[in-house]
Amino acid sequence: MRPTILVTGARGQVGGELVRLLAPYGEIVATDLESLNLADVDAVRAAVRRAKPALIVNAAAYTAVDLAEKEVDLAYAVNARAPGVLAEEARRLGAVLIHYSTDYVFDGARTTPYPEDAPTGPLNVYGASKLDGERAIAAANAHALVFRTSWVYGLTGRNFLLTIRRLAAERDELRIVADQTGVPNWSRTLAAATTRIVAMGLPAMTERTGLYHLSSTGEATWHAFAQAIVGAAAGPRIVPISTAEYPTPARRPAYGVLATGRFERTFGFALPDWREDLDRCLRSPTGAA
Ligand SMILES: NC(=O)c1ccc[n+]([C@@H]2O[C@H](COP(=O)([O-])OP(=O)(O)OC[C@H]3O[C@@H](n4cnc5c(N)ncnc54)[C@H](OP(=O)(O)O)[C@@H]3O)[C@@H](O)[C@H]2O)c1
């Protein structure tokens, strides 16, 4: 019998790719905000008990980093409480949980890549709520794989790539922050890496329960990322600015590069360099401008 795979956040950047890529590996039960609101704990428990999945992939999250400063309770409900409940239900069923977290659990004071066990210190509500989600999962003692990643972009949804493309078509000059460093990650590559791990089988995943940094290699500033998106073609001038010149409600870490050695040693593969992957994304049939 094919295992049931419950995927939350099925209309998100990573979730949308997962629903497609995981289909060969089980019966997919895909939920989105309308069909399963993660802020509703009872609904979350009921959905898991109804589906009886062998694997839960939680791609849903409250990802509006600035709005989270105001919608604190909702951010915590979705990013902290719900993952804890999913983990409790996974343990009850003997299922595996895959969950995603963020580089925003760190304060960004380092200048070299963060290993998994580096001290955390989120600067904003979103990061703090995601960190609480990691802790809630750990406390539930389930077989869970938690993948921290960063700067997710894709060809659908709300993300930096699509924003820059839109602005590049409208303006002669873009002013982009050049003093925050991180790594852009294509949602399809994150979903493909997850699928590769799912393809290893449930026992292999169970044995590898833990926290991992899942990210492309290399590093970028938002300014460098914008330049790479616009490319060499005659586009707008991309002017580097400082974070102080672009104030936002949520503070963001100045540095969020994740060290991926533990992931690579455990799962036996690495993600591509972010520039190569961005090129691949932009050349993909749905990515052409
Ligand atoms: N985006 C990034 O730059 C980034 C960086 C680091 C880590 N991550 C993590 O990576 C994972 C995947 O992120 P992503 O970029 O794919 O996010 P995304 O595109 O924003 O997708 C998240 C999905 O969750 C849904 N959602 C929001 N609130 C919900 C609720 N109360 N109940 C059910 N669903 C809800 C959203 O629905 P609506 O679209 O209808 O609101 C959306 O479809 C998340 O865990 C995120 O924290 C993301």
Side-chain angles (χ1 to χ4, degrees), residues 203-224:
M205 283 191 275
T206 302
E207 282 165 22
R208 291 165 176 77
T209 289
L211 172 67
Y212 301 95
H213 287 173
L214 170 62
S215 173
S216 268
T217 51
E219 58 179 55
T221 63
W222 291 110
H223 178 262

mmCIF file of all heavy atoms in Angstrom, residues 203-224:
data_model
loop_
_atom_site.group_PDB
_atom_site.id
_atom_site.type_symbol
_atom_site.label_atom_id
_atom_site.label_comp_id
_atom_site.label_asym_id
_atom_site.label_seq_id
_atom_site.Cartn_x
_atom_site.Cartn_y
_atom_site.Cartn_z
ATOM 1 N N PRO A 203 12.462 4.361 7.068
ATOM 2 C CA PRO A 203 13.467 3.981 8.074
ATOM 3 C C PRO A 203 14.720 4.858 8.004
ATOM 4 O O PRO A 203 15.258 5.269 9.035
ATOM 5 C CB PRO A 203 13.801 2.524 7.708
ATOM 6 C CG PRO A 203 12.600 2.038 6.940
ATOM 7 C CD PRO A 203 12.079 3.226 6.211
ATOM 8 N N ALA A 204 15.141 5.191 6.784
ATOM 9 C CA ALA A 204 16.340 6.043 6.638
ATOM 10 C C ALA A 204 16.075 7.423 7.221
ATOM 11 O O ALA A 204 16.952 8.030 7.860
ATOM 12 C CB ALA A 204 16.719 6.163 5.164
ATOM 13 N N MET A 205 14.860 7.911 7.044
ATOM 14 C CA MET A 205 14.525 9.228 7.615
ATOM 15 C C MET A 205 14.469 9.152 9.138
ATOM 16 O O MET A 205 14.956 10.039 9.842
ATOM 17 C CB MET A 205 13.181 9.711 7.062
ATOM 18 C CG MET A 205 13.286 10.245 5.661
ATOM 19 S SD MET A 205 11.756 11.074 5.179
ATOM 20 C CE MET A 205 10.821 9.708 4.609
ATOM 21 N N THR A 206 13.862 8.079 9.632
ATOM 22 C CA THR A 206 13.731 7.900 11.082
ATOM 23 C C THR A 206 15.107 7.911 11.748
ATOM 24 O O THR A 206 15.313 8.564 12.773
ATOM 25 C CB THR A 206 13.013 6.567 11.359
ATOM 26 O OG1 THR A 206 11.750 6.622 10.710
ATOM 27 C CG2 THR A 206 12.815 6.327 12.831
ATOM 28 N N GLU A 207 16.039 7.202 11.124
ATOM 29 C CA GLU A 207 17.402 7.136 11.685
ATOM 30 C C GLU A 207 18.085 8.497 11.696
ATOM 31 O O GLU A 207 19.029 8.712 12.441
ATOM 32 C CB GLU A 207 18.275 6.211 10.818
ATOM 33 C CG GLU A 207 18.056 4.744 11.047
ATOM 34 C CD GLU A 207 18.668 3.934 9.904
ATOM 35 O OE1 GLU A 207 19.568 4.439 9.199
ATOM 36 O OE2 GLU A 207 18.202 2.787 9.716
ATOM 37 N N ARG A 208 17.646 9.376 10.809
ATOM 38 C CA ARG A 208 18.325 10.666 10.656
ATOM 39 C C ARG A 208 17.570 11.828 11.315
ATOM 40 O O ARG A 208 17.830 12.994 11.008
ATOM 41 C CB ARG A 208 18.569 10.942 9.167
ATOM 42 C CG ARG A 208 19.614 10.007 8.583
ATOM 43 C CD ARG A 208 19.606 10.019 7.070
ATOM 44 N NE ARG A 208 20.658 9.197 6.510
ATOM 45 C CZ ARG A 208 20.634 7.868 6.437
ATOM 46 N NH1 ARG A 208 19.606 7.185 6.907
ATOM 47 N NH2 ARG A 208 21.641 7.204 5.898
ATOM 48 N N THR A 209 16.646 11.487 12.188
ATOM 49 C CA THR A 209 15.927 12.511 12.966
ATOM 50 C C THR A 209 16.891 13.602 13.446
ATOM 51 O O THR A 209 17.961 13.281 13.954
ATOM 52 C CB THR A 209 15.287 11.812 14.195
ATOM 53 O OG1 THR A 209 14.222 11.006 13.727
ATOM 54 C CG2 THR A 209 14.754 12.794 15.207
ATOM 55 N N GLY A 210 16.523 14.866 13.257
ATOM 56 C CA GLY A 210 17.402 15.938 13.760
ATOM 57 C C GLY A 210 17.224 17.241 13.026
ATOM 58 O O GLY A 210 16.325 17.403 12.199
ATOM 59 N N LEU A 211 18.101 18.164 13.365
ATOM 60 C CA LEU A 211 18.060 19.527 12.824
ATOM 61 C C LEU A 211 19.204 19.706 11.821
ATOM 62 O O LEU A 211 20.356 19.386 12.133
ATOM 63 C CB LEU A 211 18.240 20.514 13.990
ATOM 64 C CG LEU A 211 18.425 21.988 13.660
ATOM 65 C CD1 LEU A 211 17.154 22.576 13.041
ATOM 66 C CD2 LEU A 211 18.795 22.767 14.925
ATOM 67 N N TYR A 212 18.872 20.220 10.636
ATOM 68 C CA TYR A 212 19.877 20.365 9.573
ATOM 69 C C TYR A 212 19.750 21.716 8.890
ATOM 70 O O TYR A 212 18.642 22.240 8.760
ATOM 71 C CB TYR A 212 19.672 19.271 8.504
ATOM 72 C CG TYR A 212 19.777 17.876 9.050
ATOM 73 C CD1 TYR A 212 18.632 17.184 9.437
ATOM 74 C CD2 TYR A 212 21.011 17.268 9.216
ATOM 75 C CE1 TYR A 212 18.720 15.898 9.963
ATOM 76 C CE2 TYR A 212 21.117 15.991 9.743
ATOM 77 C CZ TYR A 212 19.968 15.312 10.118
ATOM 78 O OH TYR A 212 20.068 14.056 10.645
ATOM 79 N N HIS A 213 20.873 22.212 8.393
ATOM 80 C CA HIS A 213 20.866 23.401 7.553
ATOM 81 C C HIS A 213 20.843 22.966 6.088
ATOM 82 O O HIS A 213 21.764 22.302 5.619
ATOM 83 C CB HIS A 213 22.094 24.261 7.852
ATOM 84 C CG HIS A 213 21.985 24.965 9.175
ATOM 85 N ND1 HIS A 213 23.020 25.681 9.734
ATOM 86 C CD2 HIS A 213 20.925 25.068 10.034
ATOM 87 C CE1 HIS A 213 22.606 26.199 10.883
ATOM 88 N NE2 HIS A 213 21.356 25.828 11.086
ATOM 89 N N LEU A 214 19.765 23.334 5.410
ATOM 90 C CA LEU A 214 19.550 22.942 4.017
ATOM 91 C C LEU A 214 19.585 24.216 3.180
ATOM 92 O O LEU A 214 18.664 25.037 3.248
ATOM 93 C CB LEU A 214 18.179 22.251 3.886
ATOM 94 C CG LEU A 214 17.673 21.969 2.479
ATOM 95 C CD1 LEU A 214 18.610 21.023 1.738
ATOM 96 C CD2 LEU A 214 16.266 21.369 2.534
ATOM 97 N N SER A 215 20.663 24.373 2.421
ATOM 98 C CA SER A 215 20.808 25.629 1.677
ATOM 99 C C SER A 215 21.734 25.432 0.495
ATOM 100 O O SER A 215 22.638 24.588 0.533
ATOM 101 C CB SER A 215 21.392 26.705 2.602
ATOM 102 O OG SER A 215 21.690 27.871 1.870
ATOM 103 N N SER A 216 21.517 26.244 -0.525
ATOM 104 C CA SER A 216 22.504 26.349 -1.593
ATOM 105 C C SER A 216 23.807 26.871 -1.004
ATOM 106 O O SER A 216 23.840 27.389 0.119
ATOM 107 C CB SER A 216 22.007 27.309 -2.679
ATOM 108 O OG SER A 216 21.320 26.604 -3.677
ATOM 109 N N THR A 217 24.882 26.763 -1.803
ATOM 110 C CA THR A 217 26.182 27.254 -1.332
ATOM 111 C C THR A 217 26.442 28.655 -1.904
ATOM 112 O O THR A 217 25.683 29.149 -2.734
ATOM 113 C CB THR A 217 27.302 26.275 -1.751
ATOM 114 O OG1 THR A 217 27.165 26.020 -3.144
ATOM 115 C CG2 THR A 217 27.193 24.983 -0.984
ATOM 116 N N GLY A 218 27.542 29.244 -1.472
ATOM 117 C CA GLY A 218 27.872 30.613 -1.856
ATOM 118 C C GLY A 218 27.195 31.580 -0.906
ATOM 119 O O GLY A 218 26.583 31.154 0.083
ATOM 120 N N GLU A 219 27.342 32.860 -1.174
ATOM 121 C CA GLU A 219 26.618 33.851 -0.374
ATOM 122 C C GLU A 219 26.351 35.085 -1.207
ATOM 123 O O GLU A 219 26.978 35.292 -2.248
ATOM 124 C CB GLU A 219 27.357 34.168 0.926
ATOM 125 C CG GLU A 219 28.762 34.682 0.777
ATOM 126 C CD GLU A 219 29.392 34.976 2.133
ATOM 127 O OE1 GLU A 219 29.433 34.072 2.998
ATOM 128 O OE2 GLU A 219 29.841 36.122 2.329
ATOM 129 N N ALA A 220 25.410 35.880 -0.762
ATOM 130 C CA ALA A 220 24.987 37.049 -1.530
ATOM 131 C C ALA A 220 24.477 38.118 -0.595
ATOM 132 O O ALA A 220 24.055 37.826 0.517
ATOM 133 C CB ALA A 220 23.862 36.653 -2.483
ATOM 134 N N THR A 221 24.509 39.356 -1.077
ATOM 135 C CA THR A 221 23.715 40.402 -0.427
ATOM 136 C C THR A 221 22.421 40.511 -1.243
ATOM 137 O O THR A 221 22.334 40.005 -2.365
ATOM 138 C CB THR A 221 24.446 41.756 -0.456
ATOM 139 O OG1 THR A 221 24.605 42.133 -1.834
ATOM 140 C CG2 THR A 221 25.799 41.673 0.244
ATOM 141 N N TRP A 222 21.425 41.193 -0.688
ATOM 142 C CA TRP A 222 20.193 41.406 -1.465
ATOM 143 C C TRP A 222 20.528 42.151 -2.755
ATOM 144 O O TRP A 222 19.947 41.891 -3.816
ATOM 145 C CB TRP A 222 19.170 42.197 -0.643
ATOM 146 C CG TRP A 222 18.604 41.434 0.522
ATOM 147 C CD1 TRP A 222 18.830 41.668 1.845
ATOM 148 C CD2 TRP A 222 17.704 40.305 0.474
ATOM 149 N NE1 TRP A 222 18.136 40.756 2.617
ATOM 150 C CE2 TRP A 222 17.442 39.919 1.799
ATOM 151 C CE3 TRP A 222 17.109 39.599 -0.571
ATOM 152 C CZ2 TRP A 222 16.598 38.850 2.131
ATOM 153 C CZ3 TRP A 222 16.272 38.528 -0.253
ATOM 154 C CH2 TRP A 222 16.026 38.171 1.081
ATOM 155 N N HIS A 223 21.516 43.059 -2.650
ATOM 156 C CA HIS A 223 21.932 43.820 -3.828
ATOM 157 C C HIS A 223 22.501 42.891 -4.910
ATOM 158 O O HIS A 223 22.127 42.982 -6.088
ATOM 159 C CB HIS A 223 22.972 44.874 -3.393
ATOM 160 C CG HIS A 223 23.519 45.687 -4.521
ATOM 161 N ND1 HIS A 223 24.717 45.407 -5.126
ATOM 162 C CD2 HIS A 223 23.006 46.760 -5.172
ATOM 163 C CE1 HIS A 223 24.933 46.277 -6.099
ATOM 164 N NE2 HIS A 223 23.906 47.108 -6.148
ATOM 165 N N ALA A 224 23.392 41.971 -4.499
ATOM 166 C CA ALA A 224 23.977 41.029 -5.468
ATOM 167 C C ALA A 224 22.900 40.113 -6.046
ATOM 168 O O ALA A 224 22.921 39.784 -7.240
ATOM 169 C CB ALA A 224 25.070 40.201 -4.784
#
